[in-house]
Amino acid sequence: MLWPTSVTAQEIVVAGSPVGSISDRNYARLFRELRANGISTYFPTFQFQEVPRPKSLGFETDFVAPCSPDDPAFQELRKSGVRLLIPGEFVYPDPHHIGHMPPAEDPLTQIISCAGRDAIAGITNYDEAAFHGISLDAVAAFYARVKEIDPSLPVLMVHGPIITDKRSFRSKRRISAYLEKVTTYSEHADIVGFDIYPIPAMVAKIATPQSGGAQVTPDRVVQDYMAWINQALPNKRKLVVLQGFAYTNLYEATFLKANVPEAVRDAIKPPTPDEIAMMYNQASAAGAEMVVFWGTSSLPDSSTAPWPAILELGRKHGP
């Protein structure tokens, strides 16, 4: 299959950055690096481990309320020209409390004031809500509140992919029901897409809406999901969240060595530069206006793959 040799520039987003690039909270340096490499938007997540338990540097608090425009993180954001993608679950962690205060005192109003509206790309609704059982009422309340505060602020919704070893996807009927739910939930967002982390296939175990529950190879995943979104949600703007890590990066090192055989560890590689480009080109050709690389905060330093390939991609296609 031939991939496009040139694509329209997209908004390229990184969800966090390698631990070594930000462990000292030097946002001026980080944002300069991102801007110089065509990365236009930053999603402030600082989780560097998922297994055996999640761990974060804890810097998420630098970008949420309570805040001040004079806070160093927001000052450097405004100076840099990089924009902020607001993590909505840190703004409204409890959907039952949405709207319990006047709009002028709302945490989102505070963040807009601290960052400046021009420095904000959007806000994420609850992550993989349809998959994780977050209620439709919760995502609807989230969307309504954001639009009450700032109708121009895009709300993003990211859905979980179909994973072959998940019980909830073990029949075509269950997959169809899930995709119907995805369509319904997506009504409460402006920009919609899927998380897609397909490499290696033996670990990712991803099926697509077109595969009838069967696992597919990494070269099919992005184009299949984008095709489904374009057909099922033609009036929504599109995004995609791509793999910016190796699955082994998510594990604490001692736990990994004790629980995953060496041969398996050696087989679990990050996406190569060609695979990064392939996924990006497929998303771009299908009309994704925002391409997010997730998991980069689990990389130990800026030399760790696939971070250099993501920066190379940004230099080629970013603004």
Side-chain angles (χ1 to χ4, degrees):
M1 180 173 291
L2 297 177
W3 306 112
T5 56
S6 63
V7 293
T8 303
Q10 313 294 299
E11 187 158 12
I12 300 175
V13 187
V14 290
S17 57
V19 173
S21 72
I22 195 55
S23 56
D24 59 358
R25 266 190 166 111
N26 189 334
Y27 292 110
R29 183 187 64 228
L30 173 65
F31 292 150
R32 280 197 306 269
E33 178 186 20
L34 298 182
R35 188 68 176 176
N37 286 281
I39 308 297
S40 57
T41 301
Y42 188 66
F43 185 78
T45 177
F46 299 90
Q47 184 173 320
F48 60 87
Q49 175 183 301
E50 291 192 17
V51 182
R53 61 185 182 278
K55 286 187 177 182
S56 170
L57 295 175
F59 300 163
E60 289 86 356
T61 55
D62 292 344
F63 294 93
V64 296
C67 62
S68 163
D70 295 329
D71 291 344
F74 286 110
Q75 288 193 59
E76 297 304 337
L77 180 78
R78 294 193 301 271
K79 290 177 187 176
S80 69
V82 171
R83 296 201 295 168
L84 177 70
L85 179 57
I86 300 172
E89 289 180 276
F90 289 102
V91 181
Y92 302 122
D94 185 347
H96 296 99
H97 290 166
I98 293 175
H100 282 199
M101 60 181 64
E105 300 173 13
D106 192 276
L108 178 57
T109 304
Q110 292 185 49
I111 295 170
I112 294 171
S113 176
C114 293
R117 177 63 185 85
D118 289 345
I120 299 176
I123 182 171
T124 57
N125 207 319
Y126 296 111
D127 187 47
E128 297 187 350
F131 176 75
H132 289 299
I134 297 171
S135 74
L136 182 62
D137 287 344
V139 299
F142 184 108
Y143 185 73
R145 184 59 166 180
V146 172
K147 295 304 177 180
E148 179 183 9
I149 290 172
D150 186 343
S152 74
L153 187 63
V155 176
L156 285 63
M157 185 173 289
V158 180
H159 296 290
I162 301 162
I163 306 298
T164 61
D165 63 356
K166 298 290 185 183
R167 184 176 180 181
S168 54
F169 297 130
R170 286 184 182 167
S171 71
K172 292 181 181 180
R173 178 185 58 81
R174 290 181 176 182
I175 291 171
S176 178
Y178 173 67
L179 293 173
E180 288 181 13
K181 199 173 183 181
V182 165
T183 302
T184 301
Y185 274 53
S186 296
E187 294 175 7
H188 304 289
D190 304 301
I191 309 176
V192 180
F194 283 89
D195 286 320
I196 300 174
Y197 313 142
I199 296 164
M202 67 175 184
V203 176
K205 301 182 185 302
I206 296 181
T208 70
Q210 299 89 334
S211 73
Q215 181 175 314
V216 300
T217 54
D219 61 337
R220 257 190 69 182
V221 177
V222 174
Q223 63 183 15
D224 274 11
Y225 275 100
M226 292 303 303
W228 183 87
I229 293 172
N230 282 326
Q231 182 176 19
L233 301 167
N235 297 321
K236 293 295 181 182
R237 298 158 62 189
K238 311 303 189 297
L239 66 89
V240 66
V241 183
L242 299 178
Q243 182 177 350
F245 61 95
Y247 280 96
T248 48
N249 295 134
L250 308 180
Y251 286 70
E252 188 274 327
T254 303
F255 182 92
L256 179 68
K257 291 180 180 178
N259 291 275
V260 180
E262 183 177 3
V264 176
R265 298 197 307 268
D266 290 344
I268 299 174
K269 304 295 185 183
T272 66
D274 285 346
E275 288 168 332
I276 290 286
M278 174 193 71
M279 292 189 291
Y280 174 87
N281 286 346
Q282 288 185 16
S284 179
E289 65 177 75
M290 186 174 284
V291 177
V292 183
F293 285 96
W294 177 266
T296 49
S297 58
S298 67
L299 306 178
D301 59 60
S302 295
S303 66
T304 307
W307 184 252
I310 293 170
L311 296 187
E312 180 182 359
L313 184 84
R315 291 192 297 273
K316 184 174 181 181
H317 297 296

